[in-house]
């Protein structure tokens, strides 16, 4: 069977730099305080929808209340005096470069005003300091481009965790945050045990990387196409897992994943065991190459 998902004509990426310093002369910061890999591109698009900068007093900022992970980040956002918003609205054919340029600009602003960079889409703060590496030229999904939401089904039952026990719960639901900035649906996995949260994220981000690589290649050859059709089964090899999880055993068989549309959220793809798999979601997770579901 096949799955068809919509592809938007353009997407918007936003980064918010929260700072106590009064922002002045932002045009002197971008592109001049940016790293070299993206400086020229920023210079060409600055002041267009591809790269816009706007400063707000925090009390009047439209980004004062964001869905963020962690109380500490939320407190810093609310207590900061100023928010400097770096935004980019671009065609999906311009991704991921457009998002990289915007984030590189945000890094330059954060360095100039000693601020913290928040990504509202992933719900996280980006690691940044004068000694930290800047925005690299090549794109890697693992460079803080993904976030996660984790929920526990309140109607589920979680037995006490015992490594030798077989009675694992199926309460966990994890969903990605960040793929839609590239025009790809978010992905989710539910029905796993709470104890398998780390393994669940490892599998989701490996699947996300495979899907995004294929998605970006397809967009290059089909600019302007309103939707894309893909197969419902995905074979994940050892090299795919190695991107995030080290070097798994090369003797392991490819890991098979089934993609389905999420009936409750049509903008999201659900991943799970392939057709014919004899076992639970937790049994399937434990078979992932090089990963320990625990």
């Amino acid at each position: 069977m096949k799955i068809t998902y919509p592809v938007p004509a353009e997407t918007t990426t936003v980064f918010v730099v929260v700072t106590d310093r009064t922002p002045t002369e932002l045009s002197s910061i971008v592109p001049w305080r940016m790293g070299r890999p993206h400086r020229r591109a920023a210079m060409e698009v600055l002041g267009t929808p591809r790269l816009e900068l706007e400063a707000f007093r925090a009390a009047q900022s439209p980004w004062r209340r964001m869905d963020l992970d962690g109380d500490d980040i939320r407190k810093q956002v609310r207590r900061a005096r100023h928010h400097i918003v770096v935004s980019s609205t671009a065609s999906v054919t311009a991704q991921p470069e457009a998002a990289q340029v915007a984030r590189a600009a945000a890094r330059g602003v954060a360095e100039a005003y000693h601020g913290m960079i928040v990504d509202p889409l992933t719900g996280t703060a980006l690691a940044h300091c004068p000694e930290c590496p800047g925005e690299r030229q090549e794109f890697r999904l693992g460079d803080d481009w993904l976030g996660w939401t984790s929920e526990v089904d309140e109607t589920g039952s979680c037995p006490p965790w015992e490594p030798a026990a077989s009675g694992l719960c199926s309460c966990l639901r994890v969903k990605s945050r960040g793929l839609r900035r590239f025009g790809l649906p978010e992905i989710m996995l539910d029905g796993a045990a709470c104890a398998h949260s780390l393994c669940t994220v490892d599998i989701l981000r490996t699947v996300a990387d495979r899907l995004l690589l294929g998605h970006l290649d397809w967009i290059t050859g089909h600019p302007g196409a309103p939707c894309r059709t893909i197969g419902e089964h995905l074979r994940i090899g050892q090299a795919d897992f190695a991107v995030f999880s080290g070097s798994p055993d090369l003797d392991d068989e490819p890991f098979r994943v089934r993609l389905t549309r999420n009936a409750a959220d049509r903008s999201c793809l659900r991943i799970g065991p392939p057709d014919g798999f004899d076992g639970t979601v937790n049994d399937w997770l434990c078979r992932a190459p090089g990963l320990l579901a625990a």
Side-chain angles (χ1 to χ4, degrees), residues 5 7 213-229:
Y5 63 84
V7 179
L213 288 175
H215 174 81
L216 295 176
D217 285 344
W218 177 85
I219 285 176
T220 300
H222 301 79
C227 58
R228 183 190 181 205
T229 299

Side-chain angles (χ1 to χ4, degrees), residues 154-227:
E154 295 180 354
T155 64
S157 174
C158 297
W161 169 241
E162 297 180 18
S166 59
L168 296 178
C169 71
S170 57
C171 301
L172 185 65
R173 177 184 296 113
V174 181
K175 180 179 177 181
S176 68
R177 297 180 63 174
L179 290 177
R180 61 187 175 92
R181 84 169 93 229
F182 307 114
L184 184 69
E186 302 295 346
I187 59 175
M188 67 172 292
L189 190 156
D190 62 1
C194 299
H196 291 351
S197 59
L198 179 59
C199 178
T200 298
V201 170
D202 282 341
I203 290 176
L204 277 169
R205 63 184 181 179
T206 302
V207 171
D209 190 59
R210 270 290 305 277
L211 288 176
L212 183 58
L213 288 175
H215 174 81
L216 295 176
D217 285 344
W218 177 85
I219 285 176
T220 300
H222 301 79
C227 58

Side-chain angles (χ1 to χ4, degrees), residues 24-25 29 37 44 68-69 75 82 85 119 142 152 155 194 224 242 263:
T24 58
E25 298 296 332
I29 305 300
E44 293 173 352
L68 303 175
D69 292 336
K75 288 179 181 177
H82 301 276
V85 180
D119 183 346
V152 174
T155 64
C194 299

Side-chain angles (χ1 to χ4, degrees), residues 250-267:
L250 295 179
D251 293 332
D252 286 333
E253 292 294 326
F255 187 67
R256 297 184 67 220
V257 174
R258 186 186 181 206
L259 303 167
T260 57
R261 297 304 300 263
N262 184 5
D265 183 358
R266 302 293 291 176
S267 66

